[in-house]
């Protein structure tokens, strides 16, 4: 064969490189810096993530040879494509208005409806006739979100379907009946415990004629919105689902039937790759649990509906919520969920036509323009995501086993140690947010300087404890990650309605690069608290800068310069200001810190500062607190 006809693979032109060689190169590039501190991600999930992975890292993973649609379903339940249902929830307290809205959104890309009934609403057969009029039930999925009376709702829906000659096998629906989730949220069952599980059994028996109706919903999203880690969320979801399998098989139901009637409702957060891995890990672990209950492998599927998390939503700079929910939607769909709700960006008020349209279109664009529906499990085989999946399985399994060893979900939750563990997580995360190790764009990172809020309900900035008055154990406290920063900032906005907004003056001097960098850092720092910041191009002398600050009636003066220059300029600034404004040094000059403190400098802001604590200190000093 002539050389002209020979073909060589491009990869064969490069010699194989071992992991050790890569590590040597990394060590050289780090120039003595600590590898673990610089490049290893120490996750809040309790395991470390390396900066790179290779094929050999996947050797211990036994499930890599399975295909999509095959046990243990780590690669998803789907075989042909990755399509999912675009779901939108609708207020159904007025059934006529709900029907009108449903027909409207079904023509705008929605494929699954969630009808939310009121707390005191008594739903009748006539209500169903109005609610579902002209809706083609064979073409969509309907979901009933009811605070009570689930058995009646199931009966009314089936009666409506029969009356309108709908085939039971063509009905796709769910009911959000979840006594275990209610117990977790409120710290008590809404009725007698045994009676509720009898009702659960009756619901499954009532809907057995319609195999695609899932009357039981496992709400692990409650915990997502309470700030737990992904590992905890997974372990809790498995334990809640296992509680139903155990209780209902003890009551005489077949485990296969129970599993077929369960839908898991997960929240999805902004930790992009970790969330993709979460859904893969969830299906894998649930398949193992279901199989242990005697369910045949093809029937061990976990059916997942996902919803974007309120935990990551912000009131300030709310359009950033659209970015957050887009990445969350990407994680959920790439992770293989069966349906998805994207909440409107303006979660803190009644959704508008625009915000609902944006929420729908986020999914439509992912599905129809980005082709996310085309490829099943695109993450499959990725060294990184397969490793994350494996690590989540290992850690979440520990959480699940611990709950099971404590007697199962309800028993463990009733004892109360469970809630203490979750509280520890929440406290730890709050500390990470205050230090900006966990970031929320527009809130504790790069705030919108010009944005103000007014006439907002106070409860929007407070955590909500759902524990019932007659609870037998602590319920869940639902809050948002950005909430404490927003409460602090809203305090400033409220104060500024009747008082002067606190002014922070950047006294920029000396080294050009350092003063610009530190001025930018300091403006972002104080703008997080709603303070007015005044930037400057630079002063020829400290005296000139102090005079300008006094002329501007500054409450706080931030010295922005280099570490080498602070020992000279800071004492002079303190002396010239003479208590007319608080003096802050941008940075933490280690070599001169004691000298500066002796000269009267009390405040230093830098990347390791507890931002929330620092800003609240200044609010207190200025009379806002």
């Amino acid at each position: 064969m002539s050389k002209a006809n020979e073909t060589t693979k491009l990869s064969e032109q490069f010699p194989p490189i071992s992991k050790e060689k890569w590590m040597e190169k990394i060590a050289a590039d780090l120039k003595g810096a600590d590898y673990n501190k610089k490049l290893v991600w120490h996750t809040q999930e309790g395991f470390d993530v390396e900066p790179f992975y290779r094929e050999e890292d996947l050797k211990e993973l036994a499930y890599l040879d399975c295909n999509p649609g095959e046990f243990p379903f780590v690669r998803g339940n789907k075989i042909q494509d990755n399509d999912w249902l675009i779901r939108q929830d609708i207020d159904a307290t007025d059934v006529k208005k709900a029907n009108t809205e449903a027909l409207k959104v079904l023509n705008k890309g929605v494929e699954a409806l969630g009808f939310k009934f009121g707390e005191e609403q008594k739903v009748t057969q006539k209500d169903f006739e109005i609610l579902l009029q002209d809706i083609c039930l064979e073409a969509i999925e309907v979901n009933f979100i009811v605070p009570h009376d689930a058995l009646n709702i199931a009966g009314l829906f089936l009666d409506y379907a029969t009356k309108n000659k709908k085939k039971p096998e063509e009905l796709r629906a769910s009911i959000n009946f979840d006594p275990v989730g209610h117990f977790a949220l409120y710290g008590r069952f809404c009725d007698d415990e045994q009676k509720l599980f009898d009702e659960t059994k009756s619901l499954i028996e009532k809907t057995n004629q319609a195999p695609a109706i899932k009357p039981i919903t496992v709400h692990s999203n409650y915990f997502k919105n309470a700030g737990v880690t992904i590992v905890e969320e997974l372990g809790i979801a498995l334990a809640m689902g296992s509680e139903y399998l155990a209780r209902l098989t003890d009551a005489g139901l077949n485990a296969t039937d129970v599993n077929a009637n369960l839908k898991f409702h997960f929240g999805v957060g902004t930790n992009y790759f970790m969330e993709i891995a979460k859904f893969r890990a969830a299906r894998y672990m649930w398949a193992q649990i279901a199989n242990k209950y005697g369910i045949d492998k093809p029937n061990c599927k976990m059916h997942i509906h996902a919803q974007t998390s309120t935990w990551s939503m912000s009131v300030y700079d709310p359009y950033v919520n659209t970015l957050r929910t887009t990445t969350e939607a990407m994680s959920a769909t790439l992770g293989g969920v069966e349906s998805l709700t994207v909440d409107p960006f303006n979660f803190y008020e009644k959704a508008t036509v625009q915000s609902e349209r944006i929420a729908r279109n986020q999914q439509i664009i992912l599905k129809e323009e980005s082709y996310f529906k085309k490829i099943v499990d695109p993450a499959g085989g990725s060294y990184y995501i397969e490793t994350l999946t494996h690590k989540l399985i290992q850690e979440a399994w520990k959480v699940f086993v611990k709950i099971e060893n404590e007697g199962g979900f309800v028993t463990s939750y009733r004892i109360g140690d469970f809630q203490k563990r979750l509280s520890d997580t929440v406290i730890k995360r709050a500390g990470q947010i205050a230090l900006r190790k966990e970031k929320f764009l527009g809130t504790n990172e790069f705030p919108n300087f010009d944005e103000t809020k007014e006439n907002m309900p106070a409860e929007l900035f407070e955590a909500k404890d759902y524990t019932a008055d007659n609870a037998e154990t602590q319920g869940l406290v639902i809050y948002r990650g950005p909430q404490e920063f927003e409460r602090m900032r809203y305090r400033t906005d409220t104060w500024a309605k009747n008082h002067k907004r606190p002014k922070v003056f950047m006294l920029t001097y000396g080294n050009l690069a350092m003063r610009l960098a530190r001025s930018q850092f300091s403006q972002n720092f104080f703008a997080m608290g709603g303070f007015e910041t005044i930037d400057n191009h630079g002063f020829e002398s400290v005296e000139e800068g102090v005079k300008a600050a006094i002329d501007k009636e500054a409450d706080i003066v931030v010295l922005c310069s280099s570490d080498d220059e602070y020992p000279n300029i800071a004492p002079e600034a303190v002396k010239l200001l003479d208590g007319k404004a608080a003096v802050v040094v941008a940075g933490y000059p280690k070599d001169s810190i004691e000298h500066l403190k002796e000269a009267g400098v009390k405040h230093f802001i830098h990347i390791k500062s507890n931002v929330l604590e620092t800003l609240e200190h200044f609010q207190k000093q200025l009379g806002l607190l």
Side-chain angles (χ1 to χ4, degrees):
M1 181 185 293
S2 68
K3 287 189 176 182
N5 292 327
E6 291 181 6
T7 58
T8 305
K9 291 181 179 179
L10 182 62
S11 60
E12 292 175 356
Q13 298 178 32
F14 300 92
I17 301 174
S18 67
K19 186 171 185 176
E20 289 71 25
K21 287 288 185 184
W22 277 115
M23 292 299 292
E24 287 175 12
K25 176 60 177 169
I26 290 170
D29 288 347
L30 285 173
K31 298 177 182 177
D34 189 300
Y35 171 83
N36 285 318
K37 288 183 178 179
K38 287 287 185 182
L39 297 179
V40 176
W41 175 22
H42 307 290
T43 70
Q44 60 191 7
E45 275 66 40
F47 55 83
D48 291 343
V49 175
E50 298 290 331
F52 72 100
Y53 289 97
R54 292 161 54 89
E55 185 177 5
E56 62 249 39
D57 293 308
L58 306 185
K59 284 180 180 178
E60 62 180 291
L61 307 190
Y63 57 77
L64 288 180
D65 290 335
C66 76
N67 292 316
E70 293 180 357
F71 183 90
F73 306 104
V74 68
R75 301 204 63 196
N77 300 340
K78 307 164 193 174
I79 300 173
Q80 303 266 338
D81 56 39
N82 190 44
D83 204 2
W84 70 92
L85 298 176
I86 298 173
R87 174 170 156 180
Q88 181 172 330
D89 293 346
I90 294 170
D91 180 2
T93 50
D94 184 321
V95 291
K96 179 61 178 173
K97 287 183 180 178
N99 174 260
T100 301
E101 180 66 17
L103 292 171
K104 190 185 301 179
V105 300
L106 286 171
N107 285 316
K108 295 179 179 180
V110 167
E111 300 156 317
L113 297 167
F115 289 115
K116 297 185 289 187
F117 295 105
E119 187 69 38
E120 304 299 327
Q121 189 173 1
K122 302 295 183 183
V123 185
T124 66
Q125 193 66 56
K126 184 178 179 182
D127 290 330
F128 260 82
E129 296 285 345
I130 298 169
L131 181 67
L132 300 178
Q133 185 178 355
D134 297 327
I135 293 176
C136 182
L137 294 179
E138 299 90 342
I140 66 160
E141 178 186 86
V142 287
N143 305 275
F144 301 106
I145 305 162
V146 294
H148 54 78
D149 210 16
L151 199 57
N152 178 50
I153 293 293
L156 292 174
F157 176 61
L158 290 171
D159 288 346
Y160 172 85
T162 301
K163 182 178 178 181
N164 288 273
K165 297 181 171 54
K166 309 292 183 183
K167 296 178 181 178
E169 63 272 16
E170 293 180 349
L171 298 175
R172 289 181 294 168
S174 77
I175 302 171
N176 72 322
F177 189 67
D178 183 15
V180 174
H182 186 283
F183 176 74
L185 187 61
Y186 296 100
R188 64 179 292 272
F189 286 102
C190 60
D191 204 337
D192 176 74
E193 183 175 344
Q194 187 55 52
K195 181 181 175 183
L196 286 169
F197 281 99
D198 289 344
E199 185 176 348
T200 308
K201 179 184 177 185
S202 298
L203 264 172
I204 290 175
E205 291 171 338
K206 193 175 197 66
T207 58
N208 253 352
Q209 58 181 295
I213 295 180
K214 303 194 182 309
I216 316 302
T217 303
V218 179
H219 288 92
S220 63
N221 63 311
Y222 294 161
F223 290 89
K224 185 71 171 181
N225 290 328
V228 303
T229 66
I230 289 174
V231 161
E232 289 168 332
E233 179 191 6
L234 280 169
I236 289 165
L238 297 173
M240 292 173 77
S242 180
E243 186 82 22
Y244 283 114
L245 279 176
R247 295 277 192 123
L248 295 171
T249 51
D250 285 348
L253 288 179
N254 180 283
T256 302
D257 291 339
V258 175
N259 190 46
N261 283 276
L262 290 179
K263 175 184 281 191
F264 286 80
H265 186 153
F266 277 95
V268 54
T270 55
N271 194 341
Y272 183 67
F273 293 109
M274 197 79 77
E275 289 285 350
I276 295 173
K278 177 182 80 177
F279 293 109
R280 304 175 85 247
R283 286 190 299 268
Y284 174 89
M285 290 187 287
W286 183 249
Q288 305 298 333
I289 293 168
N291 189 237
K292 291 297 182 184
Y293 274 92
I295 301 174
D296 291 339
K297 288 183 177 181
N299 297 317
C300 290
K301 296 174 181 177
M302 173 187 261
H303 301 283
I304 300 175
H305 170 69
Q307 182 173 8
T308 53
S309 170
T310 58
W311 192 85
S312 58
M313 291 277 211
S314 64
V315 174
Y316 282 87
D317 214 349
Y319 288 104
V320 177
N321 291 331
T322 305
L323 303 179
R324 295 186 180 107
T325 53
T326 297
T327 65
E328 291 170 355
M330 291 169 70
S331 295
T333 53
L334 292 175
V337 303
E338 291 163 48
S339 59
L340 173 65
T341 300
V342 172
D343 290 322
F345 69 85
N346 57 338
F347 70 98
Y348 50 85
E349 61 186 6
K350 182 176 173 58
T352 62
V353 172
Q354 181 202 34
S355 64
E356 288 186 336
R357 181 186 178 192
I358 290 171
R360 284 193 302 271
N361 286 354
Q362 286 170 260
Q363 292 200 62
I364 292 170
I365 289 169
L366 292 179
K367 180 183 280 200
E368 304 296 345
E369 296 185 28
S370 300
Y371 300 116
F372 275 39
K373 72 175 184 179
K374 296 290 187 182
I375 308 299
V376 179
D377 190 33
S382 159
Y383 302 150
Y384 178 49
I385 295 177
E386 293 289 8
T387 301
L388 290 182
T389 303
H390 179 59
K391 287 178 178 287
L392 286 175
I393 290 169
Q394 288 181 313
E395 296 303 316
W397 195 256
K398 295 174 188 175
V399 175
F400 168 70
V401 169
K402 184 171 182 60
I403 295 170
E404 290 296 292
N405 288 340
E406 291 173 345
F409 182 86
V410 171
T411 301
S412 175
Y413 203 79
R414 192 172 267 134
I415 293 168
D417 289 346
F418 187 109
Q419 293 90 316
K420 175 65 170 62
R421 296 195 294 270
L422 300 186
S423 177
D424 290 343
T425 296
V426 169
I427 291 169
K428 184 178 179 181
R429 289 192 82 175
Q432 297 289 301
I433 294 166
L435 291 166
R436 295 196 294 178
K437 291 184 178 180
E438 187 165 353
K439 295 179 171 60
F440 294 92
L441 186 65
T443 303
N444 71 349
E445 188 83 354
F446 305 119
N448 182 346
F449 289 23
D450 300 321
E451 184 180 15
T452 60
K453 297 288 184 186
E454 59 180 26
N455 301 322
M456 306 296 285
E459 57 268 22
L460 190 60
F461 304 106
E462 300 293 339
K464 183 173 182 179
D465 188 344
Y466 278 84
T467 308
D469 291 338
N470 54 347
E472 53 182 299
T473 189
Q474 173 65 44
L476 283 177
V477 178
I478 306 297
Y479 77 109
R480 294 177 295 107
Q483 204 157 14
E484 289 192 68
F485 269 87
E486 292 181 337
R487 180 168 63 246
M488 179 259 297
R489 183 170 179 177
Y490 188 64
R491 188 183 299 126
T492 303
D493 285 347
T494 304
W495 169 271
K497 288 171 67 176
N498 300 306
H499 305 82
K500 178 176 75 93
R501 186 177 292 273
K503 289 184 179 182
V504 185
F505 187 90
M506 305 296 132
L507 201 162
T508 50
Y509 176 86
N511 184 293
L512 178 62
M514 292 305 299
R515 79 190 191 209
L516 288 176
R518 283 177 163 165
S519 174
Q520 187 63 52
F521 170 84
S522 301
Q523 287 180 81
N524 276 292
F525 192 103
F526 282 98
M528 286 180 245
F531 293 12
E532 179 185 346
T533 60
I534 304 169
D535 196 13
N536 296 285
H537 295 300
F539 296 99
E540 294 297 324
S541 67
V542 175
E543 184 177 1
E544 180 190 359
V546 168
K547 183 179 183 306
I550 293 172
D551 289 344
K552 291 288 187 180
E553 298 181 336
D555 300 290
I556 299 168
V557 174
V558 184
L559 304 182
C560 303
S561 190
S562 66
D563 288 1
D564 292 339
E565 291 167 299
Y566 282 141
N568 294 321
I569 68 171
E572 184 181 357
V574 171
K575 184 177 179 180
L576 290 170
L577 281 165
D578 192 27
K580 294 182 180 69
V583 177
V584 177
V585 165
Y588 195 80
K590 293 180 182 178
D591 294 339
S592 58
I593 199 76
E594 292 305 322
H595 169 68
L596 295 175
K597 288 180 179 179
E598 288 172 7
V601 179
K602 298 178 181 178
H603 309 291
F604 301 85
I605 59 171
H606 44 86
I607 58 171
K608 293 186 178 180
S609 292
N610 184 314
V611 183
L612 186 66
E613 189 178 275
T614 302
L615 292 176
E616 288 189 332
H617 168 81
F618 281 114
Q619 284 186 329
K620 186 173 183 179
Q621 187 173 312
L622 296 171
L624 280 72
L625 251 177

